[in-house]
Amino acid sequence: MCGRFALFSPLDRLAKQVGASVPDSNLRPRYNVAPGTWIAAVHQASENEQPIIDEMWWGYRPRWAKSTGSQPINARVETVATNAYFKSAFSKHRCLIPANGWYEWIKDSKPKQPHYICRKDREPLFLAGIFAERDDGSMGCAIVTEPGRGSAAEVHDRMPLILEDDSLKHWLAPDITDRETIRNLVHHIDAGLIEHWPVSTKVNKPAEGQGEELINPA
C-alpha cells in the first residue's frame, strides 16, 4: 500500500517536469503526508488544456457514493480498471501525485519500524492516481498500487505505481480512455532505481513528526 509520503521539491520544478502550469500558491514542504489531508496532484481537464497542479483530498469517494461510501486511499492496479468503484475514474480521471519518497513499515516490528523509500538519484516520483468529484464538490484521489518490486519488496508486498517520465503525459491524457491502450503506453520505473533505509519512529505519529529530519537514516 501507500499510506504516508514526503513531498518537498519546489512546485515550479515539478510543474516543469510534467508541463503543468504553476499554481499561485506554493505549498510548504511536507515530510509526513498522511491520508485525510489535502495533497498536491496533477491533472488535465482536456487534451487542449495544459495540465495543472491542484490540491485534492487524499481519500477517494465519488459523488454518487454519497457521504456513507468508503473512502479508500489506494486502488490496486490489478483491479482499478474493472472495479465498479474505480473504473470510471481510471478511464476518464487519472492524476499524478508528486512525492520525493514514501514510508512503509517492517511487518511485525515493535515498535513499528518505518523505512523511507525513494529513488537512488533522489529525483522526484510521480505516483499514478485516480480522482473523482466528492459530494461536497471537492476532488478526492487515491494512489494506485502494484506488487512490491526491487528493494521496496523487502519492506512491504505493495508499493505505489511510480511512472517513468515518458509515461506521464499518457497517464494524464483525458482523451486516452481505453484500458489496453493505457497499459501499452504507461510503464513503471525500473525497480533498480529504488532504495530504502530505516528512519525515526516519529514518522508513526504525523502530529508529532513533520520535520526534514524524518527522512534521515535512523
Side-chain angles (χ1 to χ4, degrees):
M1 63 177 294
C2 179
R4 208 77 65 76
F5 66 89
L7 175 61
F8 45 83
S9 288
L11 284 186
D12 56 351
R13 177 188 175 187
L14 299 171
K16 183 178 181 180
Q17 194 164 342
V18 295
S21 58
V22 181
D24 293 334
S25 60
N26 195 25
L27 297 176
R28 60 182 173 84
R30 298 173 68 187
Y31 291 85
N32 199 358
V33 182
T37 61
W38 295 100
I39 63 174
V42 186
H43 63 101
Q44 185 174 2
S46 74
E47 58 182 309
N48 298 319
E49 296 184 50
Q50 188 179 17
I52 62 172
I53 298 180
D54 207 349
E55 283 191 297
M56 293 186 185
W57 185 255
W58 189 8
Y60 173 91
R61 186 171 60 205
R63 177 183 288 274
W64 56 262
K66 304 187 184 299
S67 59
T68 57
S70 62
Q71 195 170 188
I73 62 170
N74 294 149
R76 297 172 70 93
V77 72
E78 297 93 334
T79 56
V80 67
T82 56
N83 184 297
Y85 207 60
F86 300 127
K87 64 181 182 179
S88 178
F90 174 79
S91 176
K92 301 176 182 178
H93 296 116
R94 300 183 302 275
C95 62
L96 296 169
I97 312 299
N100 289 94
W102 78 99
Y103 300 98
E104 283 295 356
W105 285 260
I106 296 293
K107 187 177 181 180
D108 298 329
S109 57
K110 294 183 180 181
K112 292 176 64 178
Q113 177 59 59
H115 279 233
Y116 182 67
I117 312 170
C118 63
R119 285 180 59 132
K120 292 178 179 178
D121 59 10
R122 305 298 185 265
E123 286 296 307
L125 313 172
F126 286 92
L127 317 181
I130 57 171
F131 70 97
E133 183 179 355
R134 296 157 54 88
D135 61 346
D136 64 0
S138 65
M139 297 297 174
C141 64
I143 294 172
V144 179
T145 67
E146 66 171 344
R149 298 185 297 121
S151 65
E154 298 169 357
V155 187
H156 200 277
D157 61 359
R158 303 291 298 182
M159 64 180 283
L161 178 59
I162 307 166
L163 302 186
E164 64 177 15
D165 288 350
D166 291 343
S167 296
L168 302 181
K169 62 182 180 182
H170 300 307
W171 183 258
L172 290 177
D175 58 314
I176 301 177
T177 60
D178 177 70
R179 175 185 178 186
E180 290 306 315
T181 302
I182 295 169
R183 283 183 170 178
N184 290 331
L185 293 174
V186 174
H187 307 283
H188 53 204
I189 65 170
D190 188 297
L193 294 174
I194 299 169
E195 68 175 347
H196 67 88
W197 56 83
V199 294
S200 170
T201 54
K202 290 182 179 179
V203 171
N204 299 354
K205 299 181 179 180
E208 297 178 10
Q210 285 291 342
E212 60 183 307
E213 72 279 358
L214 290 185
I215 66 173
N216 294 335

